[in-house]
Amino acid sequence: MSSDPSAAGLPRATGRLTSTAPWWRDAVVYEVYPRSFADSDGDGTGDLAGLIGRLDHVTSLGVDALWIAPWYPSPMADGGYDVSDYRDIHPDFGALADADVLIAEAHRRGLRVITDMVANHTSAEHPWFRAALAAAPGSAERTRYFFRDGRGEHGELPPNNWISAFGASAWTRTTDPDGHPGQWYLHTFAPEQPDLDWSSDDVRAEFDGILRFWFDRGVDGLRIDAAPAMAKVPGLPDADYGGQAYFASAEWVGNPHWDVDGVHEIFRRWRAVAREYDGDRVLVAEAVVASPQRLSLYLRPDELQTAFNFAFLKAAWGPGLRAVIDETLASHATVGASATWVLGSHDETRLVTRLGRDDTAAVHLVDPALAPSDPALGTRRARAATLLMLALPGSAYLYQGDELGLPFVEDIPGELRQDPVYHRSHGALPGRDGSRVPMPWAGDRPPFGFTVDGVTPWLPQPASWRDLTVAAEDADPTSMLGLVRDALRLRRRFAAEPSLTWQPSAASVLDFTRGEHHRCVVNLSPTPVRLDPPWSVAIASAPVRDGVLPPDATAWLSR
Ligand code: GLC
């Protein structure tokens, strides 16, 4: 198959900004979590054939690309972010041939395909890690990871005080072949996800090959998992967590295992690989870092083209959004990058649930008993927030199910939960499973067309989702699905205008124009707002009557 998207019928650029602007600068990308999208073979787990069978839903939205969460062979200790073979497909999802068909079918429909690259760590089942465990301390096999002797008289203490992003020590002690306790190894995430040492030439060369493997198969881009974790301060000094017993990765600069400046050299190398290919292959970073300035370092012209904007995702629903937007645009402009807006993913509380809480900034997954959510309020705000996101200059990511307004499922029985965040916190944190419940397609009871009738999906779907299926919302033009489709159609006009200009407004109203003819007004206040008469409403997240925009609503205006 061809690796050239233009040969596959894709325009080389969207033509929406200028005729030469790369496609990713203003693309809308739809995240697919393959386990939970569509199951074709009745095993209760989504697969690539299921996804291929549902591509029409994706094209019906009007998005430009898919980002597919990890699809590689994996023991699934962390939902596939523990990869045991980077050059194949998980047997539950299909085979390499299915990936080829998927890429071709997506391209045929004008959709680009971004896959996930998990390079901070492998699975503990990866042949490299198994070989490292079998080899002696100091061996070449161990230098691909971080193996260290423990502290204390008998090496019984971890080599340093680093904390895992999933809680507890970031080190696990190994057992030597003779049964004695051995060295320790580092894992920024779960113990089943040992960190690779990116100062190793073997590691660098191996990933150059993995990148080429997927670019050769025609993928249009890579989403780089846990990008800021990929370099560590040499010598692995203790971190000063300021008394916190948790990771708090993004909150400070100077963490010896997060956002260390050494990461940038890795991404310059990856960009050089991407440049070997035509068709504007894009690299998008998952980089939760302390400030927009730190983020912009990833976006220098010889590094990654785009990076998710977590500041926007984490911001409270309120006037503070304006500062986040301004800081993002200003910091990205310093390096000539376009912004990448995102409101949800397989890692975050569903938007509808978050925005229905008192503390709307609390994206950290919290106990639902402590943070009850009002679904009607959450849905109203999620509609408004989605229109805001889609009106901003840059690209935007939509997580599967957010186009339906799915809520976070809070009552999954403990024994069915799979997320290591839940298990490692001994149930104190609900984990992310609630955002990963399989898609409801049609029908009035589970499995809602996700899998064969009578089969139980890998996570249970709430019966109440009967009103939130694709089929149900398809029949209702006022649904979230209808809103998203209409907005994506209209967005093409907004996106043609590169700049954003704020209009005078109260602090609790966001009011900006895109060029002469397009305007977006977001009412974050508790009272209605009157819209200027010469402008007409192109689309609104809630009914606008007599020119009045209700609270928690967004309108796009044109003239
Ligand atoms: C990223 C992924 C998340 C995963 C983690 C470790 O944050 O999005 O799902 O648990 O990296 O790979």
Side-chain angles (χ1 to χ4, degrees), residues 67 78 81 118 121 166 189 193 223 225-226 286 346-347 432 436:
W67 152 34
D78 182 22
Y81 284 92
V118 189
H121 44 267
F166 292 159
F189 296 91
Q193 296 166 293
R223 174 262 190 193
D225 184 64
E286 182 210 25
H346 64 284
D347 288 330
R432 300 163 293 179
R436 301 173 179 180

Side-chain angles (χ1 to χ4, degrees), residues 32-359:
V32 170
Y33 194 68
R35 238 176 158 186
S36 301
F37 197 66
D39 173 24
S40 71
D41 60 5
D43 63 358
T45 294
D47 48 45
L48 299 191
L51 168 54
I52 293 164
R54 297 282 187 189
L55 278 178
D56 285 348
H57 171 67
V58 182
T59 42
S60 83
L61 297 173
V63 299
D64 304 290
L66 291 170
W67 152 34
I68 303 170
W71 55 7
Y72 313 101
S74 160
M76 291 282 174
D78 182 22
Y81 284 92
D82 46 321
V83 179
S84 52
D85 180 354
Y86 289 85
R87 292 181 175 83
D88 206 348
I89 295 293
H90 195 298
D92 286 353
F93 296 159
L96 261 184
D98 298 303
D100 290 340
V101 173
L102 172 60
I103 294 166
E105 283 295 310
H107 284 172
R108 200 168 63 76
R109 290 168 165 82
L111 287 171
R112 289 183 163 84
V113 178
I114 295 173
T115 52
D116 221 301
M117 193 47 59
V118 189
N120 173 65
H121 44 267
T122 67
S123 160
E125 298 299 318
H126 190 282
W128 271 10
F129 193 69
R130 290 193 184 181
L133 284 181
S139 59
E141 287 84 351
R142 288 203 171 185
T143 60
R144 295 165 178 157
Y145 294 90
F146 293 95
F147 279 86
R148 296 289 185 275
D149 293 332
R151 294 198 278 204
E153 204 181 329
H154 307 288
E156 70 280 11
L157 298 172
N160 68 25
N161 72 342
W162 293 1
I163 298 172
S164 144
F166 292 159
S169 173
W171 295 90
T172 290
R173 195 165 193 186
T174 61
T175 305
D176 285 338
D178 64 4
H180 285 96
Q183 286 192 302
W184 298 69
Y185 69 89
L186 177 69
H187 49 87
T188 299
F189 296 91
E192 295 86 353
Q193 296 166 293
D195 279 39
L196 288 164
D197 184 344
W198 272 86
S199 66
S200 150
D201 289 338
D202 264 9
V203 170
R204 289 163 184 260
E206 176 65 5
F207 274 88
D208 289 350
I210 292 167
L211 263 56
R212 292 191 182 102
F213 179 88
W214 290 105
F215 285 145
D216 284 339
R217 295 196 103 80
V219 309
D220 304 287
L222 300 170
R223 174 262 190 193
I224 303 165
D225 184 64
M230 288 170 63
K232 278 84 181 172
V233 167
L236 315 186
D238 273 349
D240 177 2
Y241 294 109
Q244 303 272 26
Y246 67 97
F247 187 62
S249 58
E251 288 162 26
W252 45 288
V253 181
N255 181 334
H257 59 112
W258 198 266
D259 195 22
V260 173
D261 287 334
V263 290
H264 298 292
E265 188 199 330
I266 303 169
F267 299 134
R268 282 195 284 274
R269 180 177 177 126
W270 283 19
R271 183 65 180 277
V273 173
R275 282 203 172 118
E276 294 166 11
Y277 292 83
D278 54 14
D280 284 324
R281 311 297 165 111
V282 69
L283 300 171
V284 53
E286 182 210 25
V288 183
V289 292
S291 66
Q293 290 70 30
R294 294 294 300 176
L295 189 64
S296 67
L297 298 179
Y298 290 76
L299 299 172
R300 288 173 287 189
D302 57 348
E303 289 196 41
L304 311 174
Q305 295 100 318
T306 65
F308 297 130
N309 188 333
F310 284 97
F312 183 67
L313 183 146
K314 290 177 186 297
W317 179 246
L321 283 165
R322 176 170 172 162
V324 173
I325 294 166
D326 280 342
E327 283 168 17
T328 299
L329 296 177
S331 62
H332 282 57
T334 61
V335 286
S338 64
T340 303
W341 310 100
V342 58
L343 286 169
S345 80
H346 64 284
D347 288 330
E348 311 293 341
T349 305
R350 285 275 189 190
L351 185 61
V352 158
T353 304
R354 169 165 74 91
L355 295 187
R357 288 181 178 152
D358 284 345
D359 181 359

Side-chain angles (χ1 to χ4, degrees), residues 438-455:
M439 284 279 284
W441 292 97
D444 55 11
R445 59 180 168 310
F448 296 119
F450 165 73
T451 180
V452 176
D453 264 346
V455 170

